[in-house]
Amino acid sequence: MNVFLIIDGMNLVRRMHAALPNENNIDGLQEQVHRSCKKLIRFHQPTHVTIVWDGKAISWRKRLFEDYKKGRKPMPEALDNGLASLKSYLENQHIHSIDALSEADDVIATLATKLVQVNGKAIIVSTDKGFNQLIHPHIQLWDHFNQSFLTTESREEKLGVERGQFLDYLALAGDSGNKIPGVPGIGPKSASELLKTFRTLGNIYRSLDQIGTKQAQKLATGKTLAKLSYKLIQLQTNLPLNVNLKQFRLPSETTRLD
């Protein structure tokens, strides 16, 4: 079976960069990232690996909702200036890059989805829990910093909903980290309780007459934002990427790194 290790580049590197004593001095960051990649390869034993980077184009989510990810700190200048060199360094270590036009998330989701459709296995290296919506037994999400899998089961337990309700839950409760609004006045607990009773977002809106007056009014007022939020959090899984899996195959000796 082909096992594709797909690394969320900025998710990994920005956190490493933030831990540096001086963010303007990135000497040694290349080797630090390379060591982490070697550790990932040793542990997961993939047949293929890539690291996917965010691009600088305005994402379709930002075009749809101007406040999307509002307030995020811009990439530090030293890191921005050093990315090209970092990518080249990793290329020489057989870790090839894919540059997304804007957000890496949809590219990663497309790669993983296409691979499992041809009986492969994808391991996504990211702390972004949004990837939990990719519900497939051969798609796994690995947190490199905690050295653990972010499982669908743990996500279900934390949110208090079932895996098929993740998108509906976030459409109601929102996602503060990405500035996705959800329905004003409907928090995590209310979203979970509503979905336990009515199962889906659509059913909730078809059943407003069965919900308390104040809550029903919040839902009715926030319906447009619920629909918008649902679109914003949904990963695209069928982007045209113009890449071939063989481009990312690891030399056999690479999987036996010391």
Side-chain angles (χ1 to χ4, degrees):
M1 175 188 286
N2 288 323
V3 179
F4 199 2
L5 186 71
I6 307 169
I7 302 169
D8 185 348
M10 294 314 305
N11 183 275
L12 180 75
V13 172
R14 284 199 68 162
R15 189 159 167 178
M16 288 184 174
H17 176 263
L20 295 176
N22 180 357
E23 72 169 27
N24 294 315
N25 182 359
I26 62 171
D27 293 344
L29 182 63
Q30 288 184 357
E31 186 52 40
Q32 185 181 355
V33 174
H34 182 221
R35 284 198 303 270
S36 291
C37 290
K38 288 197 297 183
K39 184 175 182 179
L40 287 163
I41 291 168
R42 276 199 308 269
F43 183 83
H44 294 288
Q45 293 291 297
T47 56
H48 301 73
V49 63
T50 189
I51 185 162
V52 184
W53 304 93
D54 292 316
K56 295 186 176 181
I58 298 175
S59 76
W60 65 269
R61 293 182 178 89
K62 187 73 171 177
R63 295 180 192 277
L64 189 62
F65 182 57
E66 188 176 354
D67 285 347
Y68 176 68
K69 290 189 175 180
K70 186 176 181 179
R72 284 278 183 96
K73 290 183 179 179
M75 191 188 308
E77 185 177 356
L79 179 59
D80 192 18
N81 292 337
L83 274 184
S85 178
L86 173 60
K87 293 175 188 179
S88 178
Y89 180 82
L90 293 174
E91 289 278 346
N92 290 333
Q93 308 300 324
H94 309 289
I95 300 167
H96 303 298
S97 291
I98 296 177
D99 291 312
L101 290 176
S102 55
E103 293 179 290
D105 298 13
D106 292 327
V107 173
I108 292 170
T110 295
L111 288 169
T113 300
K114 287 184 179 296
L115 187 70
V116 298
Q117 287 172 349
V118 292
N119 300 315
K121 176 181 176 181
I123 301 166
I124 298 171
V125 180
S126 180
T127 59
D128 187 342
K129 297 178 181 66
F131 289 118
N132 277 130
Q133 68 185 263
L134 301 175
I135 301 168
H136 191 284
H138 287 163
I139 296 178
Q140 295 177 304
L141 183 58
W142 178 256
D143 180 343
H144 171 70
F145 299 99
N146 287 322
Q147 292 292 291
S148 62
F149 286 104
L150 298 172
T151 66
T152 302
E153 290 78 13
S154 64
R155 188 74 168 147
E156 286 177 318
E157 184 177 353
K158 181 175 182 178
L159 300 183
V161 297
E162 297 172 8
R163 60 196 67 191
Q165 298 173 311
F166 287 165
L167 293 177
D168 290 357
Y169 172 89
L170 291 171
L172 289 166
D175 178 1
S176 59
N178 289 317
K179 293 296 186 289
I180 292 173
V183 176
I186 302 295
K189 185 177 179 181
S190 295
S192 175
E193 290 175 349
L194 284 164
L195 287 168
K196 284 177 182 176
T197 302
F198 298 103
R199 307 302 300 165
T200 69
L201 188 65
N203 283 344
I204 291 169
Y205 276 102
R206 285 189 288 269
S207 307
L208 292 182
D209 58 342
Q210 301 175 39
I211 299 172
T213 304
K214 289 184 178 180
Q215 195 172 57
Q217 182 59 50
K218 292 175 183 177
L219 288 163
T221 302
K223 185 175 183 179
T224 299
L225 284 176
K227 289 182 176 179
L228 172 66
S229 298
Y230 191 95
K231 290 179 182 177
L232 291 171
I233 58 182
Q234 193 167 22
L235 292 169
Q236 293 188 354
T237 59
N238 198 30
L239 295 182
L241 298 180
N242 195 31
V243 296
N244 192 295
L245 185 62
K246 66 183 179 182
Q247 296 172 235
F248 309 106
R249 178 172 286 280
L250 284 166
S252 57
E253 65 272 14
T254 308
T255 62
R256 299 192 298 271
L257 291 168
D258 296 328

